[in-house]
Amino acid sequence: MGLGPVWRLRRRQEAAAEAPEEKASPGWIELKAAVPACTACKLHQGRTQTVFGVGDEQADWLLVGEAPGAEEDRLGEPFVGQAGRLLDSMLAAIGLSRRDNVYICNVLKCRPPGNRNPEPDEVAKCTPFLLRQIELIGPKLIVAMGRFAAQTLLDTDASIASLRGRVHRYAGLPLVVTYHPAYLLRNLPDKAKAWEDLVFARRTMQAL
Ligand code: SF4
């Protein structure tokens, strides 16, 4: 004889109670609360605040830099100051804006002391935040800005020069490489190359 409905219900409740708890992936609200509370690596000790990211949360374009600098750490927003203004004007030249159709963030959400390079364990601890941002945004194209971001995302020691002008892949998405705007401020002749990269990125986007 089969089990009655009350017993079937009780069995299901018991099975649910015994099943390992499945953690739902965080949405934007949970993620934005988790990052400022994060103490997973030693960088939390020296930060003024975390720098989560900014822009259109459904953007087709995702720009990823290295880590917050002093101004970003102070203001809580990535790519501010002179470098940020340069980036904004380059984006505007191809019809993009961090307010409308671009999302900007860094590999690391906390500032490394003295702007030193991030260390591998810090990258490993922080990368899940970036990966979840990518899942939530669902961009069509990633632009890695600067040597560190490019080398980290592509897991390579290759130079920016050798990585530019090609379509790579990260997290299943096309990725192109360009210079960091802070580098361009110190090396003005390379602005022309960065412009070529953006035009290449736009062409890549149009072909997707
Ligand atoms: Fe957490 Fe990332 Fe900050 Fe490290 S850098 S404390 S992993 S948010």
Side-chain angles (χ1 to χ4, degrees):
M1 207 168 93
L3 294 171
V6 175
W7 278 103
R8 278 203 297 273
L9 179 63
R10 193 169 293 168
R11 277 275 172 87
R12 275 205 296 271
Q13 286 169 339
E14 284 168 1
E18 284 162 13
E21 196 185 330
E22 270 189 31
K23 276 197 180 159
S25 297
W28 279 118
I29 292 173
E30 292 86 359
L31 197 62
K32 285 176 184 175
V35 168
C38 178
T39 56
C41 84
K42 57 189 171 298
L43 293 182
H44 79 276
Q45 293 161 354
R47 72 187 175 209
T48 305
Q49 59 190 313
T50 51
V51 180
F52 184 82
V54 70
D56 176 358
E57 292 176 354
Q58 296 182 317
D60 288 343
W61 293 74
L62 173 63
L63 274 51
V64 183
E66 170 181 335
E71 277 292 274
E72 285 86 359
D73 174 70
R74 193 172 66 80
L75 297 171
E77 183 171 330
F79 293 90
V80 292
Q82 236 188 321
R85 285 194 292 279
L86 173 60
L87 177 64
D88 286 342
S89 63
M90 292 179 75
L91 290 175
I94 56 167
L96 298 175
S97 154
R98 68 170 82 191
R99 276 176 298 282
D100 296 330
N101 38 26
V102 174
Y103 195 89
I104 304 176
C105 63
N106 286 304
V107 174
L108 291 189
K109 311 306 184 201
C110 299
R111 180 191 181 209
N115 288 347
R116 67 156 167 75
N117 280 342
E119 293 173 358
D121 66 304
E122 295 159 356
V123 173
K125 293 272 170 53
C126 214
T127 298
F129 290 134
L130 175 64
L131 288 173
R132 187 62 188 144
Q133 283 175 306
I134 293 173
E135 283 173 0
L136 289 169
I137 297 163
K140 289 185 179 164
L141 179 72
I142 299 174
V143 180
M145 290 186 294
R147 181 175 63 86
F148 178 84
Q151 290 180 341
T152 302
L153 298 182
L154 297 175
D155 193 20
T156 176
D157 290 332
S159 66
I160 286 252
S162 68
L163 296 171
R164 293 177 53 238
R166 285 188 287 141
V167 180
H168 308 269
R169 291 198 85 78
Y170 179 72
L173 294 163
L175 178 149
V176 300
V177 168
T178 190
Y179 296 98
H180 194 285
Y183 166 88
L184 295 175
L185 291 174
R186 301 189 301 269
N187 299 273
L188 289 178
D190 280 339
K191 265 171 88 173
K193 292 184 193 163
W195 175 245
E196 282 171 22
D197 295 336
L198 273 189
V199 172
F200 174 69
R202 183 175 56 179
R203 236 184 8 252
T204 303
M205 177 69 92
Q206 285 165 346
L208 291 175

